[in-house]
Amino acid sequence: MNEAEHFRIVTEATLEHPVGRVAASHDGQRIFAVTAWSLFGNGEGPPGASMLDGRTGQVLWSTADVLCFDVLFAPDREFFVFTGMNTADERWVALMRTDTGEQLWTQRGGGFLELAPDGKRLALIGVLDDGAGGEFAQNMVLDVPSGAVLYRQGNSMTRPRFRSDSALLCTGCPSLVDLATATPRWQVGDHTNIPSAAEFTPRGDGVIFASATTGTITTYDLDPDATGAAVARGAVAAPELANINTWFESLFYSPARETLVRVGNQGVALLSVVDGGVRRMLPVPGNGPFAGVFLPRGERLAVNVAIPPATEPAGVSVIETTGDSVVWSDPGHTVWHLAVSGDGTTLVTGGENAVRVYELGTPARSRRDCGARIGAVSASDSAAGIVAVAAEAKLVVFRAATGELMLERVHPGPIGTVAVSPDGHGVVTGSSDGRCRHFDTLTGARWTARHTGAVNAVAVSDDGTRVATAAADRTARLFDRAPGADPENVTELWSHQHPLAVTHVVIGPAASWVATAALDRKVRILLGTTGAEVHPPFEHDAKIRGLCARANTLVTASEDGSTLVIDAATGVRRLRIEHPGPVTVLALAPDGSLLATAGGSTVDLLRIDGDREVLVHRLTARATVNGLAFAANGQLIVSADDSVVAVIDPVSGREIDRFLQPMPMSHLAAGADGRVIVGGCTDNVARVYEVDDE
């Protein structure tokens, strides 16, 4: 199961009150734990609420005599919205400051909440005690800054849902509301005291509506017909909808809208939205109400039920929505409620008087124990699916998809560098014995090129025809990938002498140029055909720590605190970017528009496609950064001297995923096409992660 790659417990806290409802801020840094309304059926004891630090479990503030219906954090976590009641049965909805509990406004009433993605509107399914809404649960929209009621319409028993652009709202009537005008586009009817579920389609071009009354799942168009009536795009029968609890939260969809969860007295059914059939059945908890929450990515559901052969208390399990497998579980403790952070990195459980906070990660697609300390990693494009690892004096080559060993070769001395051809047919190593070795992954055949000093860096051209080396003997050399007449002593196409040892080498498009960095603190651009210097060298004031290229954009990183952005085709230095301290790691986005640099625990994300650099985000990692890589979808991967690798959205600067390992990752690389990420960890295991195209 590799549970250490799926989750780890960050903190636990025991509170003075029962924990029947929990909520997490978008980044998981704040946790709200509160006694639930008694009709939820989860525990007895003195009512109360506590705000916790999500990393330490420290209680930041608490209050007594509070029972909760529902709670949601604002996207920026500065505020949260609470609805509940006190021991005098007085109900209220309030906007509160997260770190102090100060109430900014209140409305008398209660219900279940949904916050617009932009944080400006609050939807409520419930009742306000102003006499205007009647006795049944009504759909309402409130202005978040002021608490003013903007809209009321229709009765149902499910949370209204906002579209991702916050412009439209669908309700469990069902109805569709245009929030710009606060008027319904269409309404089918009411579902008073009858469970239903409404949600926008993944593309936001329709509304999916499930009804326990009709036992159907119907998709409606956004626009009504000429008479103003809703237009049904299609419908499927879902007979299991009839076997439902007549209560709120008895129906809810997965993020991808592929699965509908139906909670019943005799069991929990996971239904297909496509055909209405049962994908999976779950038992009901033995010691309280069912709790379930989907993780933001994929079709995975966290639940508080004991999946056989587990026994009570069930704790928490994460399952797939089809089949009968359990992705991971943490049994042996009581769970009454579950919440997941918006970025998908944190799962929170509450039960009895306890809160438990889990850090979540995307597990590796494959892994390979290399049996020795890993010194370098490289990967082909995803189609070829080949990973090469330098493990002290041993080369290990395996399949990215499965971890299956393809090739293993022991060298006379430690291997310091490794590269894989884009097609996966060739693996190149450079070692301390002064040899560059090329291995054919299909036949195992090899050729060897000889330097008179340790080989510090190797590279393969994007067309797979050339191999470049940088060595301590002060030379950079270029070789044809074909073995030549003497495979034990291959002759270079050219060799270029440097004043001091050469430490880095990269190859331009179709081997049109080769760039080197040497201990004389200079970067040189050499003609791909002859090795002659085609432009004056570019100089730093201290040691050069990094060199990378995308197309003809060449970027350097130095301990002098600067990075140079160079047009390698023309020899023009486009930018010199100054940083607060030494720059030790860098990476270029696939299109060359974004540059990521790191020194210590600081990561800078810069736009470099204009006349001047623009700092997009400055981020702080958990520890000293040792690797940066961009995936094909533009996401930034950050590894540090820590067991968590962060996946960063370059637009928001937020962490959107994590790779967890039992021990820190020491080496990081992206495949040739950026669709796989390879990490070498200090437990001697190389792990491969897949990256979505979008």
Side-chain angles (χ1 to χ4, degrees):
M1 191 179 293
N2 297 299
E3 288 185 340
E5 296 180 18
H6 285 279
F7 78 94
R8 62 170 58 97
I9 298 172
V10 177
T11 187
E12 298 180 78
T14 301
L15 305 178
E16 298 297 323
H17 56 82
V19 181
R21 301 288 285 187
V22 289
S25 63
H26 181 89
D27 58 5
Q29 296 290 323
R30 293 293 181 267
I31 306 298
F32 190 68
V34 60
T35 307
W37 185 31
S38 60
L39 288 185
F40 286 139
N42 41 19
E44 297 180 356
S50 301
M51 185 67 71
L52 287 75
D53 184 302
R55 290 292 167 261
T56 66
Q58 176 187 359
V59 176
L60 303 177
W61 58 265
S62 62
T63 186
D65 300 328
V66 174
L67 298 167
C68 181
F69 299 143
D70 203 9
V71 60
L72 289 174
F73 281 90
D76 61 4
R77 92 164 186 224
E78 293 296 318
F79 310 100
F80 71 100
V81 186
F82 173 88
T83 175
M85 63 191 303
N86 57 25
T87 52
D89 290 338
E90 296 172 328
R91 302 176 297 187
W92 77 95
V93 182
L95 180 70
M96 307 174 73
R97 292 192 185 277
T98 298
D99 287 341
T100 65
E102 175 192 357
Q103 291 187 358
L104 301 178
W105 57 255
T106 62
Q107 282 273 13
R108 292 293 299 275
F112 292 86
L113 307 168
E114 182 72 11
L115 198 62
D118 64 6
K120 296 179 180 179
R121 297 288 184 267
L122 174 69
L124 171 72
I125 179 66
V127 177
L128 292 182
D129 298 338
D130 57 7
E135 61 178 311
F136 296 113
Q138 189 177 45
N139 298 290
M140 288 165 277
V141 177
L142 284 69
D143 178 64
V144 170
S146 67
V149 178
L150 304 177
Y151 178 77
R152 299 173 189 261
Q153 178 268 331
N155 302 120
S156 67
M157 291 184 65
T158 189
R159 300 171 191 267
R161 295 293 187 182
F162 291 92
R163 197 168 69 171
S164 60
D165 61 1
S166 302
L168 297 175
L169 180 81
C170 63
T171 76
C173 294
S175 65
L176 180 66
V177 182
D178 189 324
L179 295 174
T181 61
T183 57
R185 288 192 180 182
W186 49 258
Q187 179 175 346
V188 174
D190 283 335
H191 266 62
T192 304
N193 288 342
I194 302 171
S196 62
E199 185 59 275
F200 287 97
T201 59
R203 296 177 61 181
D205 60 353
V207 173
I208 307 171
F209 179 72
S211 170
T213 301
T214 63
T216 58
I217 302 172
T218 305
T219 301
Y220 292 96
D221 289 336
L222 297 184
D223 295 322
D225 64 16
T227 68
V231 177
R233 187 185 303 173
V236 295
E240 273 292 336
L241 288 174
N243 302 317
I244 195 168
N245 287 337
T246 55
W247 189 237
F248 290 91
E249 301 185 311
S250 296
L251 288 172
F252 58 95
Y253 294 95
S254 66
R257 321 295 192 263
E258 295 179 7
T259 303
L260 176 66
V261 178
R262 187 276 293 151
V263 183
N265 292 320
Q266 304 303 316
V268 178
L270 309 187
L271 308 179
S272 168
V273 174
V274 175
D275 60 22
V278 176
R279 307 183 78 179
R280 184 169 183 172
M281 289 294 297
L282 303 175
V284 294
N287 60 349
F290 170 80
V293 61
F294 277 99
L295 305 188
R297 288 173 295 278
E299 288 284 306
R300 289 183 171 178
L301 178 68
V303 296
N304 68 336
V305 299
I307 310 298
T311 58
E312 300 287 355
V316 60
S317 295
V318 173
I319 63 171
E320 303 282 1
T321 56
T322 58
D324 57 4
S325 64
V326 176
V327 179
W328 64 265
S329 62
D330 183 28
H333 59 107
T334 299
V335 173
W336 290 333
H337 198 239
L338 296 157
V340 65
S341 62
D343 63 7
T345 62
T346 303
L347 177 69
V348 184
T349 66
E352 297 182 335
N353 288 67
V355 174
R356 186 171 291 187
V357 181
Y358 299 83
E359 191 167 46
L360 304 180
T362 296
R365 167 68 185 270
S366 68
R367 57 195 59 76
R368 184 79 196 179
D369 189 340
C370 298
R373 182 183 60 84
I374 294 174
V377 294
S378 183
S380 68
D381 64 26
S382 58
I386 304 301
V387 175
V389 181
E392 295 185 350
K394 181 172 60 176
L395 168 68
V396 179
V397 181
F398 64 92
R399 297 192 186 279
T402 64
E404 175 191 357
L405 181 66
M406 296 181 64
L407 188 72
E408 190 172 279
R409 294 291 184 270
V410 176
H411 291 47
I415 304 169
T417 179
V418 63
V420 180
S421 63
D423 63 8
H425 295 170
V427 176
V428 183
T429 64
S431 67
S432 61
D433 68 346
R435 301 293 187 267
C436 165
R437 294 174 174 87
H438 177 282
F439 299 89
D440 188 308
T441 59
L442 299 179
T443 67
R446 73 167 196 177
W447 57 255
T448 302
R450 301 168 185 267
H451 282 268
T452 58
V455 178
N456 295 319
V458 295
V460 181
S461 62
D462 59 358
D463 61 4
T465 63
R466 298 288 187 265
V467 173
T469 60
D473 64 4
R474 304 183 181 184
T475 66
R477 301 180 186 181
L478 191 70
F479 299 87
D480 193 311
R481 249 188 77 198
D486 184 2
E488 291 303 314
N489 188 11
V490 172
T491 302
E492 66 271 13
L493 298 174
W494 53 256
S495 177
H496 187 90
Q497 191 72 30
H498 293 61
L500 294 173
V502 189
T503 55
H504 298 77
V505 65
V506 296
I507 307 178
S512 56
W513 51 263
V514 174
T516 65
L519 289 182
D520 65 350
R521 309 186 308 279
K522 292 181 180 179
V523 173
R524 294 170 174 85
I525 300 174
L526 313 175
L527 191 62
T529 53
T530 65
E533 292 190 36
V534 290
H535 306 296
F538 301 87
E539 187 168 3
H540 280 280
D541 295 330
K543 184 178 180 180
I544 297 170
R545 294 292 298 272
L547 192 67
C548 67
R550 294 282 190 181
N552 285 314
T553 298
L554 176 68
V555 183
T556 70
S558 171
E559 291 181 352
D560 67 7
S562 71
T563 54
L564 305 181
V565 180
I566 301 163
D567 186 324
T570 63
V572 174
R573 190 188 78 186
R574 292 181 44 241
L575 300 169
R576 180 185 176 96
I577 305 170
E578 299 295 338
H579 300 262
V583 183
T584 56
V585 190
L586 80 167
L588 267 173
D591 63 0
S593 64
L594 292 176
L595 169 67
T597 64
S601 61
T602 300
V603 178
D604 283 350
L605 187 61
L606 303 115
R607 182 163 288 281
I608 60 169
D609 53 356
D611 295 335
R612 300 184 63 180
E613 75 276 7
V614 176
L615 180 63
V616 181
H617 299 290
R618 176 161 287 171
L619 311 171
T620 301
R622 294 174 174 233
T624 299
V625 177
N626 56 39
L628 296 170
F630 278 97
N633 58 14
Q635 294 171 354
L636 175 64
I637 318 298
V638 181
S639 69
D641 296 338
D642 183 82
S643 56
V644 177
V645 176
V647 181
I648 306 296
D649 172 28
V651 177
S652 66
R654 286 178 167 175
E655 185 177 349
I656 58 173
D657 199 0
R658 291 173 181 163
F659 305 150
L660 304 182
Q661 301 88 32
M663 299 181 71
M665 184 179 288
S666 57
H667 293 83
L668 177 72
D673 59 1
R675 287 182 167 81
V676 295
I677 302 296
V678 182
C681 300
T682 54
D683 61 358
N684 302 337
V685 176
R687 293 175 171 87
V688 181
Y689 300 88
E690 286 185 323
V691 179
D692 294 334
D693 290 339
E694 299 180 357

